[in-house]
Amino acid sequence: MTEIPDRILRLKSVLERTGLSRSTMYRKMQNGTFPQDIRISTRCTGWRESAVNEWMRNPIFYDRCDGCAD
């Protein structure tokens, strides 16, 4: 069985899917309660679709470092 590659979503798509404002999303990223963006090129970032979907399943209890070593 072949694994489907993770898509990279751009800002507009992430905002449409989540219903968050841009400033709220970036504030949540700083707090660790929203997936971190990844650099695509020098002036371009995106978000892994799987990470955004995971956040959408349970946004209140999402923790980017859940299970990270202290």
Side-chain angles (χ1 to χ4, degrees):
M1 183 173 174
T2 58
E3 192 173 314
I4 298 172
D6 206 3
R7 291 179 47 199
I8 303 298
L9 302 175
R10 298 295 303 275
L11 178 63
K12 184 178 178 182
S13 297
V14 174
L15 296 178
E16 287 174 355
R17 284 184 184 209
T18 63
L20 297 174
S21 70
R22 181 181 174 133
S23 59
T24 298
M25 186 186 75
Y26 281 111
R27 185 172 56 250
K28 286 181 172 292
M29 284 172 50
Q30 283 184 322
N31 295 339
T33 58
F34 193 82
Q36 191 64 38
D37 56 342
I38 57 172
R39 180 139 325 265
I40 297 171
S41 66
T42 307
R43 297 180 61 194
C44 183
T45 61
W47 288 260
R48 283 181 169 48
E49 184 176 34
S50 61
V52 173
N53 288 340
E54 180 184 341
W55 179 86
M56 290 176 65
R57 279 191 291 277
N58 201 351
I60 294 174
F61 296 107
Y62 179 87
D63 183 2
R64 185 173 60 227
C65 290
D66 193 21
C68 294
D70 291 326

